[in-house]
Amino acid sequence: MNDEEKHKYRSAGWFGKRDKDGFVHRSWMRGWPTDVFDGRPVIGICNTWSELTPCNAHFRDLANVVKRGVWEAGGFPLEFPVTSTGETNMRPTAMLFRNLVSMDVEESIRANPIDGVVLMCGCDKTTPALVMGAASCDVPAIVVSGGPMLNGKFCGQDIGSGTAVWRFSEEVKAGVMSLERFMDAETSMSRSTGTCMVMGTASTMASIVEALGLTLPQSAAIPAVDSRRSVLAHLAGRRIVEMVRDDQRPSRILTREAFENAIRVSGAVGGSTNGVIHLLAIAGRVGINVTLDDWDRLGRDVPTLLDLMPSGRYLMEDFYYAGGLPAVIRAMGEHGLIHRDAVTANGRTIWENCQDAPNWNAEVIRPFDRPLIEQGGIAVLRGNLAPDGAVLKPSAASPRLMRHVGRAIVFESIEHYYERIADPDLDADENCVLVLKNCGPRGYPGMPEVGNLGLPPKVLQRGVTDMVRISDARMSGTAYGTVVLHVCPEATVGGTLALVRDGDLIELDVGARRLNLEVSEEELQRRRAAWRPPEPSMRGGYQELYLQHVQQANTGADFDFLRGCRGHAVPRESH
Ligand code: FES
């Protein structure tokens, strides 16, 4: 290593000094031979391992594999933990903590001698949070996704994470499935480490970051326990060292073209509505103006090629064996739907990575002339009920409800919904529209995944499986139904949603992208004058910071003070 390289990297501001400060930085590290401080790139392994995040429970082993690659390429790996957000255990909702984790990631990188970072991502919020944090400080970064679980197996059938739970629990309520059989399904669904193996939010985000170019090819779909997941982690460890040497930062990968590729890929794989919020937030961190309208415009002509639950039949394990995301990107690129020159983490363009990718199973990755859904993507609805937008995933909705007028049944909160939904006197039929308020970013708070409200039992018992549902909440990526989500502005800040009353007529027209409350403007003004915001459920601490600074879903529900480019992390003097 020559003298120029010795002082080339950010970490030299800590380890490269021959003075008291350098002594302190090196001496306290303990146990390393002195030559690891010789100016080689220091690679942070940003780990979201936690036993409370079972989807990421294999990350200690995976991080060790990454380190092997870092050492081989001449780097010095140092693993550090950040707050982990386990989707299934955190209350009130893991989304409340996404921005907090992103701050943890950003400040951990800024504060420490890190030249490049490997982001160990898995469960839903861990991927956007880590990417947002790394993008904000713009040091070279590569994502290693943890990979999906093996297919669930129950009574001779494949069952998907979450998707099967929603279906089975409706069947229990409808009296079609016994509670004992329901409990049996519990251990059959999650058969290995890894993330949900449907095209839920974790798989959507793993696909989005691969399409953005932040991973090595095939990162999204290799099962967590497949030996090729280890190979990928090993290679990512080698690659991040080269990325530091080439100064290949997120701002050089996260271009407008990369975001457009990611939006289209999300449509082609049948991605979760949560991907909309997270991608908007990531774009906000690098100052790229991606909007809800981009999602609608770019997704409209993208067919959903992937036949995966919850929209289709197969699971992530099948997706990998069929060819994985490169096969989807190749098909899209051949139809002019990919910016081919977008640069990816391995230094090659997305087209160089994918142009020869084989499709081994045209039932799983369907051809353009036989897609699962002609027009995939996300529909962005507007109207007096959602002047700043709302989203709906057409591929998960019922065709018969895509144009519908119905009478509102209103729930003022999720607690009100639970109190009221099973009431035998509830005046409900299959044409009604279920409306849930106060579950947006500032409501609840944290925008929980409760938008796919279960249907009233009295309607379910008549064999009805879908109704129009509208809320300012999110929905699990594993869920399905004719569900309008992310209504903006949310009810808690006085959006029109706050003014809806039982019996009001609501018009949904997905083709025309319209969502209207059929109540006169004079009547709405009367209701608005009488409206009072709900009292926050908690004061002080992180939740107070969250309430003061969280923005609406149409820009990604990020904190106002975290958006925009705050600059490349550079070392500061220690004191
Ligand atoms: Fe963690 Fe689905 S609950 S990925």
Side-chain angles (χ1 to χ4, degrees), residues 52 56 142 146 158 163 172 199 261 271 316 340 343 369 401 405-406 418 435 438 441 470 483 492 552 560 568:
L52 288 166
N56 299 10
I142 192 167
D158 281 0
T163 305
V172 170
M199 187 47 72
N261 284 346
M316 288 296 286
R340 295 181 174 193
V343 172
D369 59 4
L401 292 171
V405 177
Y418 287 126
V435 176
N438 297 311
I470 298 175
V483 186
T492 307
Q552 291 290 286
D560 49 10
H568 183 42

Side-chain angles (χ1 to χ4, degrees), residues 233-247:
H234 193 139
L235 295 175
R238 289 184 190 166
R239 178 61 197 158
I240 186 65
V241 179
E242 292 169 11
M243 289 173 77
V244 171
R245 292 187 172 130
D246 296 344
D247 198 24

